[in-house]
Amino acid sequence: DTAVSQTPKYLVTQMGNDKSIKCEQNLGHDTMYWYKQDSKKFLKIMFSYNNKELIINETVPNRFSPKSPDKAHLNLHINSLELGDSAVYFCASSQEIGQATDTQYFGPGTRLTVL
Amino acid sequence: AQSVAQPEDQVNVAEGNPLTVKCTYSVSGNPYLFWYVQYPNRGLQFLLKYITGDNLVKGSYGFEAEFNKSQTSFHLKKPSALVSDSALYFCAVRDRGGYQKVTFGTGTKLQVIP
Protein backbone atom coordinates (compact mmCIF):
# COMPACT_ATOMS: atom_id res chain seq x y z
CA ASP A 1 0.00 0.00 0.00
CA THR A 2 1.27 3.46 -0.89
CA ALA A 3 1.60 5.55 2.26
CA VAL A 4 1.30 8.99 0.64
CA SER A 5 -0.17 9.13 -2.82
CA GLN A 6 -0.65 12.01 -5.22
CA THR A 7 -2.63 12.39 -8.41
CA PRO A 8 -1.86 13.13 -11.10
CA LYS A 9 1.81 12.26 -11.46
CA TYR A 10 2.22 14.56 -14.44
CA LEU A 11 0.20 17.63 -15.33
CA VAL A 12 0.74 19.65 -18.49
CA THR A 13 -1.49 22.66 -19.01
CA GLN A 14 -1.75 26.07 -20.58
CA MET A 15 -1.17 29.40 -18.87
CA GLY A 16 -4.31 30.79 -17.33
CA ASN A 17 -5.93 27.43 -16.64
CA ASP A 18 -7.07 26.18 -13.24
CA LYS A 19 -5.88 22.80 -11.99
CA SER A 20 -5.97 20.65 -8.87
CA ILE A 21 -3.59 18.13 -7.36
CA LYS A 22 -4.88 15.57 -4.88
CA CYS A 23 -3.07 13.96 -1.99
CA GLU A 24 -4.06 11.13 0.32
CA GLN A 25 -2.21 9.47 3.19
CA ASN A 26 -3.12 6.17 4.82
CA LEU A 27 -0.70 6.48 7.74
CA GLY A 28 -3.20 7.90 10.20
CA HIS A 29 -1.14 11.08 10.50
CA ASP A 30 -2.55 14.34 11.80
CA THR A 31 -0.43 16.75 9.76
CA MET A 32 -0.08 17.20 6.01
CA TYR A 33 2.05 19.52 3.90
CA TRP A 34 2.52 20.86 0.41
CA TYR A 35 6.03 21.59 -0.85
CA LYS A 36 7.25 23.06 -4.12
CA GLN A 37 10.55 21.86 -5.62
CA ASP A 38 11.89 24.06 -8.37
CA SER A 39 14.15 23.19 -11.26
CA LYS A 40 17.24 23.65 -9.07
CA LYS A 41 15.81 21.12 -6.60
CA PHE A 42 15.20 23.75 -3.92
CA LEU A 43 12.42 22.53 -1.65
CA LYS A 44 10.12 25.09 -0.09
CA ILE A 45 7.13 24.57 2.15
CA MET A 46 3.88 26.12 0.98
CA PHE A 47 1.21 25.01 3.43
CA SER A 48 0.64 22.74 6.38
CA TYR A 49 -2.59 21.45 7.87
CA ASN A 50 -3.06 19.81 11.25
CA ASN A 51 -6.33 17.97 11.71
CA LYS A 52 -7.87 19.91 8.82
CA GLU A 53 -6.75 23.24 10.25
CA LEU A 54 -4.33 25.47 8.36
CA ILE A 55 -1.27 26.05 10.56
CA ILE A 56 1.47 27.09 8.18
CA ASN A 57 0.89 29.39 5.23
CA GLU A 58 4.09 30.60 3.67
CA THR A 59 4.28 33.52 1.29
CA VAL A 60 2.37 31.87 -1.49
CA PRO A 61 0.24 33.71 -4.06
CA ASN A 62 -3.44 33.46 -3.23
CA ARG A 63 -3.93 31.72 -6.57
CA PHE A 64 -2.93 28.66 -4.57
CA SER A 65 -5.66 27.35 -2.31
CA PRO A 66 -5.27 24.22 -0.21
CA LYS A 67 -8.27 22.28 1.00
CA SER A 68 -8.39 19.51 3.57
CA PRO A 69 -11.74 17.70 3.59
CA ASP A 70 -10.47 15.35 6.29
CA LYS A 71 -7.15 14.68 7.93
CA ALA A 72 -6.22 12.00 5.38
CA HIS A 73 -6.59 14.30 2.39
CA LEU A 74 -4.99 17.58 1.37
CA ASN A 75 -5.69 18.94 -2.07
CA LEU A 76 -4.06 21.88 -3.83
CA HIS A 77 -6.01 24.02 -6.26
CA ILE A 78 -4.18 26.50 -8.45
CA ASN A 79 -5.99 29.26 -10.32
CA SER A 80 -4.75 31.20 -13.34
CA LEU A 81 -1.61 29.13 -13.79
CA GLU A 82 1.59 30.98 -14.68
CA LEU A 83 4.83 29.82 -16.28
CA GLY A 84 6.62 30.20 -12.93
CA ASP A 85 4.32 27.65 -11.36
CA SER A 86 6.08 24.91 -13.29
CA ALA A 87 7.71 22.71 -10.67
CA VAL A 88 7.35 19.42 -8.85
CA TYR A 89 4.83 19.59 -6.03
CA PHE A 90 5.23 17.20 -3.14
CA CYS A 91 2.68 16.28 -0.55
CA ALA A 92 3.92 14.99 2.80
CA SER A 93 2.50 13.92 6.12
CA SER A 94 3.74 13.53 9.68
CA GLN A 95 2.25 12.11 12.80
CA GLU A 96 2.05 15.35 14.72
CA ILE A 97 3.82 18.56 13.95
CA GLY A 98 6.02 19.95 16.69
CA GLN A 99 6.79 16.61 18.29
CA ALA A 100 9.78 14.30 18.18
CA THR A 101 7.73 12.07 15.91
CA ASP A 102 7.69 14.81 13.28
CA THR A 103 9.30 12.68 10.57
CA GLN A 104 7.74 13.56 7.25
CA TYR A 105 6.68 11.00 4.68
CA PHE A 106 6.62 12.28 1.13
CA GLY A 107 4.47 11.40 -1.82
CA PRO A 108 5.98 10.66 -5.24
CA GLY A 109 5.41 14.19 -6.51
CA THR A 110 3.37 15.84 -9.24
CA ARG A 111 5.35 17.38 -12.07
CA LEU A 112 3.44 20.44 -13.25
CA THR A 113 4.40 21.98 -16.58
CA VAL A 114 2.74 25.24 -17.61
CA LEU A 115 3.04 26.08 -21.31
CA ALA B 1 14.67 32.40 12.01
CA GLN B 2 16.05 28.97 11.34
CA SER B 3 18.28 28.04 8.44
CA VAL B 4 20.38 25.19 7.19
CA ALA B 5 23.37 25.23 4.86
CA GLN B 6 24.76 22.49 2.70
CA PRO B 7 27.99 23.98 1.38
CA GLU B 8 28.62 21.41 -1.35
CA ASP B 9 26.40 21.14 -4.40
CA GLN B 10 28.01 17.83 -5.28
CA VAL B 11 30.20 15.27 -3.57
CA ASN B 12 32.06 12.62 -5.54
CA VAL B 13 33.40 9.53 -3.83
CA ALA B 14 34.78 6.23 -5.02
CA GLU B 15 32.82 3.10 -4.23
CA GLY B 16 34.03 1.54 -1.00
CA ASN B 17 35.44 4.80 0.36
CA PRO B 18 33.92 6.65 3.31
CA LEU B 19 31.60 9.51 2.48
CA THR B 20 30.65 12.72 4.26
CA VAL B 21 27.91 15.15 3.29
CA LYS B 22 28.13 18.39 5.24
CA CYS B 23 25.37 20.33 6.95
CA THR B 24 25.38 23.29 9.31
CA TYR B 25 22.33 24.85 10.89
CA SER B 26 21.09 27.88 12.74
CA VAL B 27 18.13 27.94 15.15
CA SER B 28 17.18 30.10 18.09
CA GLY B 29 16.77 27.18 20.47
CA ASN B 30 17.55 23.48 20.41
CA PRO B 31 17.05 21.82 17.06
CA TYR B 32 15.51 18.77 15.62
CA LEU B 33 17.75 17.74 12.71
CA PHE B 34 16.93 15.44 9.82
CA TRP B 35 18.49 13.88 6.76
CA TYR B 36 16.41 12.88 3.76
CA VAL B 37 17.41 11.27 0.47
CA GLN B 38 15.81 11.78 -2.92
CA TYR B 39 16.35 9.35 -5.76
CA PRO B 40 15.63 10.54 -9.31
CA ASN B 41 11.95 11.17 -10.00
CA ARG B 42 10.99 10.14 -6.48
CA GLY B 43 9.82 11.82 -3.31
CA LEU B 44 12.10 12.39 -0.34
CA GLN B 45 12.75 9.47 1.99
CA PHE B 46 13.63 9.83 5.65
CA LEU B 47 17.13 8.61 6.61
CA LEU B 48 17.65 9.64 10.22
CA LYS B 49 17.00 12.33 12.78
CA TYR B 50 18.50 13.83 15.90
CA ILE B 51 16.12 14.57 18.74
CA THR B 52 18.17 14.42 21.91
CA GLY B 53 20.69 12.22 23.66
CA ASP B 54 23.53 10.46 21.89
CA ASN B 55 25.21 12.78 19.41
CA LEU B 56 25.81 9.93 16.95
CA VAL B 57 22.61 8.97 15.22
CA LYS B 58 22.32 5.82 13.14
CA GLY B 59 19.83 5.58 10.33
CA SER B 60 18.77 3.62 7.29
CA TYR B 61 21.08 1.98 4.74
CA GLY B 62 24.14 2.22 6.99
CA PHE B 63 24.12 6.00 7.23
CA GLU B 64 24.89 7.89 10.40
CA ALA B 65 25.17 11.52 11.39
CA GLU B 66 26.95 13.31 14.19
CA PHE B 67 25.34 16.22 16.00
CA ASN B 68 27.93 18.80 17.04
CA LYS B 69 26.36 21.59 19.04
CA SER B 70 29.48 23.74 19.31
CA GLN B 71 30.00 23.70 15.56
CA THR B 72 26.25 23.69 14.81
CA SER B 73 26.81 20.85 12.39
CA PHE B 74 25.06 17.61 11.53
CA HIS B 75 27.21 15.91 8.90
CA LEU B 76 25.99 12.73 7.23
CA LYS B 77 28.46 9.86 7.01
CA LYS B 78 28.82 6.32 5.78
CA PRO B 79 31.90 4.15 6.23
CA SER B 80 31.77 2.54 2.78
CA ALA B 81 29.90 4.09 -0.14
CA LEU B 82 27.83 2.08 -2.60
CA VAL B 83 26.99 3.06 -6.17
CA SER B 84 23.34 2.77 -5.14
CA ASP B 85 23.88 5.59 -2.61
CA SER B 86 24.10 8.04 -5.51
CA ALA B 87 21.22 10.45 -4.95
CA LEU B 88 20.32 13.93 -3.72
CA TYR B 89 20.63 14.41 0.04
CA PHE B 90 18.79 17.04 2.04
CA CYS B 91 19.54 18.21 5.54
CA ALA B 92 16.65 19.79 7.43
CA VAL B 93 16.17 21.60 10.73
CA ARG B 94 13.23 22.47 12.91
CA ASP B 95 13.10 24.46 16.11
CA ARG B 96 11.40 22.70 19.00
CA GLY B 97 7.90 23.37 20.16
CA GLY B 98 4.79 24.69 18.57
CA TYR B 99 3.91 24.69 14.95
CA GLN B 100 7.32 25.24 13.47
CA LYS B 101 8.01 24.49 9.86
CA VAL B 102 10.89 22.32 8.74
CA THR B 103 13.51 24.18 6.75
CA PHE B 104 15.38 22.17 4.15
CA GLY B 105 18.86 22.77 2.84
CA THR B 106 19.57 23.22 -0.83
CA GLY B 107 20.57 19.60 -1.28
CA THR B 108 23.86 17.86 -2.06
CA LYS B 109 24.17 15.50 -4.98
CA LEU B 110 26.20 12.45 -4.03
CA GLN B 111 27.89 10.64 -6.89
CA VAL B 112 29.52 7.32 -6.03
CA ILE B 113 31.94 6.30 -8.73
CA PRO B 114 32.39 2.57 -9.43
Side-chain angles (χ1 to χ4, degrees):
Chain A
D1 280 344
T2 303
V4 182
S5 59
Q6 296 178 229
T7 54
K9 192 170 174 63
Y10 299 97
L11 189 51
V12 181
T13 188
Q14 299 286 332
M15 258 194 326
N17 283 353
D18 304 337
K19 290 293 178 184
S20 292
I21 306 171
K22 295 186 175 182
C23 177
E24 176 181 1
Q25 55 95 2
N26 62 7
L27 298 168
H29 288 167
D30 287 340
T31 309
M32 296 184 73
Y33 312 80
W34 277 112
Y35 286 89
K36 179 181 180 180
Q37 186 174 45
D38 64 22
S39 58
K40 293 184 178 180
K41 305 297 186 183
F42 295 158
L43 194 66
K44 187 169 166 54
I45 191 167
M46 302 173 69
F47 302 102
S48 177
Y49 272 74
N50 190 64
N51 274 321
K52 304 193 295 177
E53 179 186 346
L54 181 65
I55 54 171
I56 294 174
N57 185 350
E58 289 293 289
T59 310
V60 177
N62 56 16
R63 299 182 294 105
F64 291 79
S65 52
K67 280 190 173 56
S68 182
D70 55 61
K71 73 174 191 178
H73 295 84
L74 180 62
N75 303 323
L76 183 66
H77 188 74
I78 315 170
N79 288 326
S80 303
L81 278 155
E82 300 177 357
L83 293 176
D85 298 332
S86 295
V88 180
Y89 292 83
F90 287 102
C91 177
S93 72
S94 65
Q95 189 166 342
E96 186 177 354
I97 193 169
Q99 303 301 317
T101 51
D102 192 23
T103 297
Q104 296 186 30
Y105 294 82
F106 283 77
T110 295
R111 183 176 294 275
L112 172 64
T113 303
V114 182
L115 304 174
Chain B
Q2 59 192 32
S3 65
V4 60
Q6 294 181 244
E8 302 152 318
D9 289 338
Q10 182 158 334
V11 169
N12 296 323
V13 64
E15 187 177 22
N17 281 2
L19 69 88
T20 299
V21 182
K22 295 180 181 178
C23 171
T24 58
Y25 67 90
S26 173
V27 294
S28 56
N30 292 316
Y32 290 142
L33 292 157
F34 306 83
W35 276 102
Y36 288 83
V37 60
Q38 184 178 26
Y39 297 100
N41 301 313
R42 303 284 294 275
L44 278 70
Q45 295 177 33
F46 169 75
L47 273 181
L48 51 81
K49 66 182 174 184
Y50 171 80
I51 303 170
T52 187
D54 195 347
N55 289 342
L56 185 63
V57 179
K58 294 189 183 297
S60 307
Y61 312 120
F63 284 93
E64 58 188 30
E66 186 164 11
F67 171 62
N68 187 318
K69 189 172 183 178
S70 62
Q71 296 186 3
T72 61
S73 67
F74 190 56
H75 300 331
L76 181 70
K77 300 183 180 188
K78 187 174 181 181
S80 177
L82 300 172
V83 172
S84 57
D85 293 330
S86 298
L88 187 60
Y89 290 81
F90 289 93
C91 182
V93 66
R94 196 177 68 70
D95 209 341
R96 292 171 189 256
Y99 289 149
Q100 300 283 349
K101 67 180 181 181
V102 174
T103 298
F104 285 84
T106 50
T108 298
K109 183 177 179 181
L110 173 67
Q111 192 76 35
V112 180
I113 302 161

